[in-house]
């Protein structure tokens, strides 16, 4: 089947970004077969189905390179006792109870709800980091099923840690990595690890061995809080990145998440090993853990992507949050205008190329047909030269009307087509009180 998404403002992004007014993107199967002037493509593809995009802007689908679907049911939950006063307390009182309280259907719903939110926000690819020690084995299959039903792409892993049981999650990761193999372009697998301070050398070595044998990378939180750095210095006599590298967890396919509390020697090591970093500004602000030295990382040509860390599935809002954070943190209104859009639009695509083996983030012939089509009537001229101004100050507040992934329309006219949003939310409201009850007893 061939479809012309026509008469919109097409922004191709990619290395040769073009803004085409009255443009069309023609999709056949899972791929884009043409991008250009709407009138010309109407002549070339006269029999195609037509989706009118007048009054809209057509962009490549957005990518989130670090998410936690499992955090969904914590929304609105009452936590008894004094509020957590630091990062470790946030983990102990909240997240390490949430993940233990999740049972099978909770895991499915916890994935389905953010997947709906991804589609709502034009996010068509996610790299997720999952934990559910209360129902660990088979949990990645439940998430995979939800992702396939939703119709977006996801790289999945289970976060291994020794905090409940030694090596908890190693087998689940290994099993899933073997099942997925090289992947089909929709689902990929990684080796997940919680963080340096919750994994022993023995567990880490085991995970790295499995990852290397399968040719996948490690997805691990790195020095998100000072506590992780201090733990590594005290127990192993070296900072986190040096420890992870010594045991083989760095490399081009690995993702080091956060990297807030790392020193210059660690940055040099990340650069030398071609490891990617994922920055999560909104989460870092929420947990009050500090500010990643983004410009120091970029100066070393480190590939830095943008994630939401479970805060949201709206990647434009994450991008703008980082833009504002780094201006304030550096007391400099000249910075972050180029860098934050680059993290989202270019670097996330490059990170996904390393995971999925396909090039996303560009509307061009032969590229995957992943589209975010947003309501947007530019109030001023819009061209390649000033697109970022429209992105940061206009599109960030625009609504996604239509989302396409792998050539399939997942939402049209703001109606989710691939999932029953109302039923899923209602069932989640039904199960959440039971999950909260189990959590209070932990
Ligand atoms: Zn995280």
């Amino acid at each position: 089947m061939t479809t012309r998404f026509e008469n919109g403002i097409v922004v191709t992004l990619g290395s040769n970004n073009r803004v085409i007014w009255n443009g069309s993107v023609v999709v056949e199967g899972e791929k884009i077969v043409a991008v250009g002037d709407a009138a010309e493509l109407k002549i070339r593809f006269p029999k195609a189905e037509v989706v009118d995009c007048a009054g809209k802007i057509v962009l490549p689908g957005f990518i989130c390179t670090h998410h936690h679907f499992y955090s969904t049911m914590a929304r609105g939950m009452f936590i008894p006792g004094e509020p957590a006063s630091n990062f470790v307390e946030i983990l102990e009182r909240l997240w390490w109870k949430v993940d233990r309280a999740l049972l099978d259907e909770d895991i499915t719903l916890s994935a389905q709800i953010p997947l709906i939110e991804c589609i709502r926000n034009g996010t068509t690819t996610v790299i997720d980091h999952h934990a559910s020690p209360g129902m660990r084995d088979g949990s990645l299959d439940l998430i995979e099923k939800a992702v396939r039903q939703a119709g977006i792409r996801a790289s999945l892993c289970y976060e291994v840690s020794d905090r409940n049981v030694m090596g908890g999650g190693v087998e689940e990761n290994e099993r899933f990595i073997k099942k997925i193999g090289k992947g089909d372009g929709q689902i990929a697998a990684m080796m997940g690890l919680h963080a340096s301070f919750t994994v022993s050398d023995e567990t880490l070595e085991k995970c790295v061995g499995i990852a290397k044998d399968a040719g996948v990378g490690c997805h691990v939180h790195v020095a998100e809080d000072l506590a992780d750095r201090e733990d590594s210095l005290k127990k192993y006599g070296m900072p986190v990145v040096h420890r992870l590298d010594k045991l083989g967890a760095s490399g081009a396919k690995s993702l080091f998440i956060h990297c807030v509390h790392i020193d210059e020697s660690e940055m040099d090591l990340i650069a030398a090993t071609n490891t990617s970093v994922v920055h999560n500004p909104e989460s870092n602000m929420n947990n009050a853990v500090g500010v990643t030295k983004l410009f120091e990382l970029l100066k070393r040509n480190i590939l830095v992507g943008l994630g939401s860390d479970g805060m949201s599935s709206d990647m434009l809002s994450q991008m703008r949050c980082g833009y504002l954070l780094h201006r304030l943190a550096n007391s400099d209104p000249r910075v972050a205008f180029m860098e934050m859009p680059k993290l989202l639009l270019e670097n996330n695509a490059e990170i996904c190329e390393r995971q999925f083996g396909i090039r996303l983030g560009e509307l061009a012939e032969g590229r995957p047909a992943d589209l975010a089509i947003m309501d947007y009537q530019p109030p001023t001229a819009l061209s390649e030269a000033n697109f970022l101004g429209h992105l940061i100050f206009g599109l960030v507040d625009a609504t996604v009307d239509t989302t396409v992934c792998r050539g399939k329309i997942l939402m049209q006219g703001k109606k989710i087509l691939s999932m029953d949003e109302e039923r899923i939310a209602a069932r989640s409201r039904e199960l959440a009180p039971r999950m909260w009850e189990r959590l209070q007893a932990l």
Side-chain angles (χ1 to χ4, degrees):
M1 184 173 142
T2 308
T3 309
R4 290 194 326 258
F5 294 87
E6 71 178 16
N7 294 328
I9 303 170
V10 175
V11 181
T12 65
L13 299 182
S15 52
N16 179 31
N17 183 30
R18 287 183 300 149
V19 173
I20 311 163
W21 284 71
N22 291 319
S24 273
V25 176
V26 183
V27 169
E28 213 170 85
E30 292 193 17
K31 294 251 167 80
I32 294 169
V33 290
V35 177
D37 177 72
E40 277 173 33
L41 294 180
K42 194 174 176 179
I43 296 166
R44 264 181 68 194
F45 299 91
K47 288 187 181 147
E49 297 273 323
V50 175
V51 174
D52 184 29
C53 299
K56 297 180 176 61
I57 191 160
V58 184
L59 292 159
F62 301 110
I63 299 166
C64 175
T65 45
H66 182 67
H67 206 320
H68 294 286
F69 288 159
Y70 78 84
S71 63
T72 305
M73 281 190 182
R75 204 179 293 178
M77 188 176 68
F78 173 71
I79 308 159
E82 288 293 307
S85 65
N86 60 52
F87 178 68
V88 175
E89 282 183 15
I90 294 171
L91 293 180
E92 287 172 350
R93 293 191 193 175
L94 178 63
W95 299 117
W96 290 352
K97 289 186 174 181
V98 166
D99 60 13
R100 281 168 67 199
L102 293 171
L103 299 181
D104 48 2
E105 198 181 346
D106 308 321
I107 295 168
T108 297
L109 291 161
S110 292
Q112 284 173 324
I113 287 175
L115 283 162
I116 288 168
E117 289 167 351
C118 283
I119 295 170
R120 281 232 165 276
N121 288 290
T123 301
T124 49
T125 303
V126 169
I127 301 181
D128 190 65
H129 202 250
H130 174 71
S132 55
M135 199 268 164
R136 191 184 59 212
D137 299 334
S139 58
L140 293 176
D141 292 342
L142 297 175
I143 302 171
E144 181 199 353
K145 195 175 164 203
V147 171
R148 289 195 188 278
Q149 184 202 358
I152 71 165
R153 303 176 198 271
S155 169
L156 306 178
C157 69
Y158 187 92
E159 66 169 56
V160 170
S161 85
D162 294 326
R163 67 187 155 92
N164 296 305
V165 52
M166 272 297 281
V170 174
E171 287 105 25
E172 175 63 2
N173 255 315
E174 186 176 22
R175 180 191 68 76
F176 192 73
I177 289 167
K178 282 190 179 147
K179 175 186 160 185
I180 296 304
K182 289 199 182 314
D184 57 0
Q186 183 175 16
I187 303 284
M190 294 189 79
M191 172 52 76
L193 291 144
H194 173 250
S196 170
F197 72 105
T198 58
V199 287
S200 60
D201 280 357
E202 190 191 332
T203 299
L204 192 49
E205 277 171 350
K206 205 187 274 179
C207 290
V208 167
I210 295 164
K212 286 210 185 313
D213 285 347
V216 303
C218 294
H219 183 174
V220 55
H221 295 114
V222 173
E224 177 173 3
D225 186 74
L226 194 56
D228 194 18
R229 177 178 175 83
E230 285 173 345
D231 177 88
S232 185
L233 287 169
K234 196 172 138 201
K235 283 193 207 147
Y236 310 102
M238 63 185 92
V240 176
V241 173
H242 287 266
R243 178 182 178 227
L244 293 174
D245 180 67
K246 192 177 153 218
L247 296 180
S250 49
K253 287 194 168 180
S254 286
L255 298 178
F256 283 6
I257 311 303
H258 300 298
C259 295
V260 179
H261 297 278
I262 62 171
D263 60 32
E264 300 223 331
S265 74
E266 292 176 280
M267 292 186 198
D268 291 341
L269 192 49
I270 291 172
T273 54
N274 199 14
T275 307
S276 304
V277 169
V278 179
H279 179 36
N280 303 269
E282 198 173 290
S283 161
N284 296 157
M285 291 168 82
N286 185 49
N287 290 329
V289 290
V291 183
T292 298
K293 293 181 191 73
L294 176 64
F295 307 115
E296 290 290 314
L297 296 171
L298 294 176
K299 213 165 67 187
R300 287 169 170 80
N301 286 323
I302 293 168
L303 182 61
V304 184
L306 181 68
S308 69
D309 204 19
M311 292 288 291
S312 154
S313 299
D314 177 353
M315 292 313 294
L316 287 176
S317 77
Q318 301 300 306
M319 180 272 301
R320 191 159 78 182
C321 177
Y323 163 82
L324 295 171
L325 168 66
H326 291 290
R327 289 202 157 196
L328 179 67
N330 290 278
S331 302
D332 189 346
R334 293 169 300 181
V335 300
F337 183 84
M338 304 295 286
E339 292 89 344
M340 285 310 301
K342 184 179 159 69
L343 260 58
L344 174 63
L345 304 176
E346 292 175 36
N347 295 2
N348 274 2
E350 201 172 327
I351 286 172
C352 282
E353 194 168 9
R354 296 181 185 186
Q355 304 300 330
F356 293 86
I358 48 174
R359 185 70 190 182
L360 304 168
E362 182 180 24
L363 303 182
E365 190 183 329
R367 295 293 186 218
D370 295 4
L371 311 175
I373 303 174
M374 309 180 77
D375 292 327
Y376 191 57
Q377 304 269 11
T380 60
L382 165 58
S383 68
E384 296 83 359
N386 71 355
F387 170 67
L388 294 185
H390 284 272
L391 185 79
I392 294 172
F393 299 106
L395 288 165
V396 71
D397 295 317
T399 309
V400 177
D401 178 85
T402 300
T403 301
V404 179
C405 186
R406 300 167 56 248
K408 290 200 180 73
I409 300 176
L410 307 180
M411 177 173 78
Q412 191 168 17
K414 302 171 191 70
K415 180 161 175 44
I416 306 268
L417 303 175
S418 57
M419 300 166 96
D420 185 342
E421 187 176 12
E422 216 176 293
R423 187 192 61 77
I424 289 166
R427 183 66 180 148
S428 178
R429 285 194 298 275
E430 210 168 65
L431 288 196
R434 295 179 217 170
M435 181 268 192
W436 291 359
E437 231 169 77
R438 283 195 299 278
L439 184 147
Q440 305 297 356
L442 291 171

